[in-house]
Amino acid sequence: MKNGNKFNFLYNLANPVIFDSSGEFAYIPINKAGQRSIARELLKDRAVIKKDNKEAWKLHADKFLNESSWAKLTTFGICRHPLDKFISAYFYLSKKGRINPCNNINDFIFKNLSHDSNPNQINLHFQTQHNAFFFKRQSLVKHLIPLEDACQQLPLLLNVLNIKTPIPHKNKGFDKNYKTLLNNDSIKILESVYSKDLSMLGYNLWSKNQ
């Protein structure tokens, strides 16, 4: 790997790439976008996860983080509407006692974010997605599946990898009407904070649907 190239970038992702012990796939995980279900259930028999075994992960990173090897892998990630993901992360972190939830989510946003804030600095569960899936505006994965379509698209991809495990569950918060929890000011702040995610991932603005 050379400093400054996309493979050095991939090597240093805050949420590390998950490799395949069989050498067929690489998965870029995102918090609150099905990560646990995919890594710990669907891929559990083959996933090489850095926090579980740093030495094994490094061996796979050294082997696959180069142009020719990466191109041969089935590379994929799951993305999620950034505002929907933010709200899910807020309730998850509040329940775990890992953030001060303030009076409510709008109060939390008002006290912790401005239009140009970096949400990654609050907690990785609030991370932006464009700088995990793209390098210099070029996609790092062959398959970028919206969480909203994962139940339909992910089984097709797993079938190619000869992984027959059924999708474990639909995201628990997926059916919640999260939009109603945010006031107009909160929506505008979050749409500014996650503007690159919204545009690069092709998601709609909630402010236009009010």
Side-chain angles (χ1 to χ4, degrees):
M1 293 178 291
K2 296 179 180 179
N3 290 334
N5 73 12
K6 70 179 181 182
F7 298 106
N8 186 64
F9 178 81
L10 281 165
Y11 188 92
N12 291 295
L13 282 176
N15 208 344
V17 177
I18 293 175
F19 294 102
D20 175 20
S21 60
S22 297
E24 294 185 55
F25 68 77
Y27 161 53
I28 295 181
I30 290 286
N31 286 309
K32 306 313 295 178
Q35 173 184 275
R36 181 171 181 80
S37 295
I38 293 170
R40 299 299 184 183
E41 297 183 52
L42 294 178
L43 307 178
K44 64 181 180 179
D45 294 330
R46 291 167 55 174
V48 179
I49 300 172
K50 187 176 183 179
K51 67 186 290 186
D52 294 348
N53 190 328
K54 290 183 180 179
E55 289 302 317
W57 185 90
K58 188 177 184 301
L59 287 173
H60 282 75
D62 290 342
K63 180 177 181 179
F64 292 110
L65 292 185
N66 60 75
E67 199 69 56
S68 59
S69 298
W70 187 258
K72 294 175 184 176
L73 295 174
T74 297
T75 53
F76 71 99
I78 308 293
C79 60
R80 183 176 184 180
H81 192 292
L83 274 65
D84 189 66
K85 189 174 82 68
F86 180 93
I87 297 170
S88 178
Y90 167 80
F91 283 113
Y92 171 80
L93 293 169
S94 297
K95 182 178 180 181
K96 296 290 184 179
R98 292 164 63 179
I99 58 169
N100 176 3
C102 302
N103 293 324
N104 54 54
I105 190 168
N106 293 296
D107 187 42
F108 177 84
I109 292 169
F110 175 77
K111 291 177 177 175
N112 289 277
L113 293 169
S114 64
H115 288 270
D116 59 355
S117 294
N118 178 0
N120 298 33
Q121 294 178 349
I122 302 175
N123 188 284
L124 190 59
H125 281 76
F126 294 126
Q127 73 181 111
T128 52
Q129 299 170 76
H130 70 276
N131 51 4
F133 295 132
F134 295 89
F135 179 76
K136 296 183 178 179
R137 301 193 74 85
Q138 297 295 312
S139 179
L140 293 167
V141 295
K142 295 173 183 173
H143 307 276
L144 186 53
I145 300 172
L147 182 65
E148 299 82 356
D149 300 328
C151 288
Q152 292 74 42
Q153 294 187 30
L154 191 55
L156 301 176
L157 180 61
L158 296 177
N159 188 58
V160 173
L161 298 170
N162 199 34
I163 297 173
K164 307 300 183 182
T165 308
I167 301 295
H169 67 262
K170 192 173 184 179
N171 187 276
K172 293 178 181 179
F174 186 73
D175 289 324
K176 295 179 181 177
N177 187 10
Y178 277 150
K179 293 182 186 180
T180 62
L181 299 175
L182 300 180
N183 61 33
N184 291 342
D185 289 338
S186 292
I187 290 175
K188 289 177 181 178
I189 290 172
L190 291 180
E191 287 185 344
S192 177
V193 167
Y194 293 104
S195 60
K196 288 186 178 180
D197 280 2
L198 288 161
S199 62
M200 295 176 74
L201 299 174
Y203 282 110
N204 64 297
L205 298 176
W206 284 5
S207 58
K208 290 187 176 181
N209 297 323
Q210 291 180 308

